[in-house]
Amino acid sequence: MAGSLPRGPNILITGTPGTGKTTLAQEVAQRTNLKYINIGEVAKENDLYDGFDAEYQCPIMDEDRVIDELEDTMVDGGNIVDYHGCEFFPERWFHLVVVLRTDTALLYNRLEKRGYHSKKLEDNVQCEIFRTILDEALESYKTNIVEELPSNTPEEMEENIEKITAWLNQWNAT
Ligand code: DAT
């Protein structure tokens, strides 16, 4: 609403598919007053696509229309956003950008379990090996708001949840 105070910061949880973004973001949302937003679901619910990727056999997201769709919500603040990319969002949207990282063998197993195979599996594992999303985050946002967190074990998942909620409490206290 025009003139009202933002509801809080916006946090982006990014990383290669399978690193644990959805698990982490949903858990943080449950423990705080942040609203969970899954970019893939926003695109699907609003049919925000622009063509079809023949190689990956999936629709191509219309990034500009996704941004238009979410602009008011993001300006209001208080959101935790889940997406396996980060460079097309407006930089001003986010106050913290978390990049989850997972060891190659673990990631391979998680994606295989998800039913990924051949090219899609290899491309995603390579994306993690080459730290593609981390570099994308460091190029797109101020480095002091980018936080790289390991996501290999349930213990690390819990530590990450606690780190983010502590960050949020700190933000709300200042
Ligand atoms: P993403 O949203 O990044 O694609 P996800 O949250 O769906 O990932 O998690 C993929 C799978 O891996 C799911 O079965 C939960 C598991 N997982 C995620 N993070 C984990 C962690 N830190 N330790 C153990 N398992 C984890």
Side-chain angles (χ1 to χ4, degrees):
M1 235 161 54
S4 65
L5 283 171
R7 293 193 305 120
N10 294 315
I11 300 175
L12 174 63
I13 309 293
T14 189
T16 306
T19 50
K21 300 180 295 297
T22 303
T23 311
L24 175 67
Q26 286 185 338
E27 191 58 36
V28 171
Q30 225 161 52
R31 295 191 198 182
T32 65
N33 58 355
L34 293 181
K35 181 182 171 201
Y36 172 73
I37 296 178
N38 182 307
I39 296 295
E41 280 170 15
V42 170
K44 198 170 174 186
E45 280 161 14
N46 298 282
D47 197 22
L48 304 176
Y49 298 119
D50 179 22
F52 193 80
D53 187 321
E55 193 177 11
Y56 285 99
Q57 289 293 303
C58 66
I60 298 166
M61 202 169 76
D62 186 330
E63 296 175 347
D64 290 341
R65 283 168 65 214
V66 168
I67 289 169
D68 288 347
E69 178 69 31
L70 289 174
E71 173 67 13
D72 290 349
T73 306
M74 297 305 288
V75 169
D76 279 350
N79 303 290
I80 186 157
V81 174
D82 168 358
Y83 192 59
H84 58 264
C86 58
E87 105 260 83
F88 73 90
F89 301 118
E91 188 184 351
R92 64 185 159 76
W93 274 8
F94 295 108
H95 307 92
L96 176 66
V97 175
V98 171
V99 184
L100 295 183
R101 303 297 312 282
T102 300
D103 291 346
T104 312
L106 287 173
L107 186 68
Y108 190 98
N109 287 340
R110 287 183 200 167
L111 293 177
E112 213 177 25
K113 259 196 206 149
R114 194 181 265 185
Y116 283 19
H117 46 82
S118 56
K119 181 161 173 56
K120 195 171 177 185
L121 180 57
E122 280 159 30
D123 283 358
N124 279 298
V125 169
Q126 281 217 359
C127 171
E128 189 59 10
I129 291 169
F130 292 126
R131 47 174 261 170
T132 309
I133 310 279
L134 178 61
D135 284 343
E136 196 179 301
L138 291 169
E139 279 161 23
S140 307
Y141 300 90
K142 292 203 176 73
T143 52
N144 64 341
I145 73 155
V146 176
E147 187 87 36
E148 178 187 7
L149 296 177
S151 180
N152 300 298
T153 62
E155 291 73 27
E156 284 177 349
M157 173 65 71
E158 185 58 34
E159 279 169 26
N160 294 342
I161 294 164
E162 282 166 18
K163 250 189 203 163
I164 296 168
T165 48
W167 178 90
L168 196 60
N169 289 338
Q170 181 89 17
W171 176 285
N172 289 332
T174 53

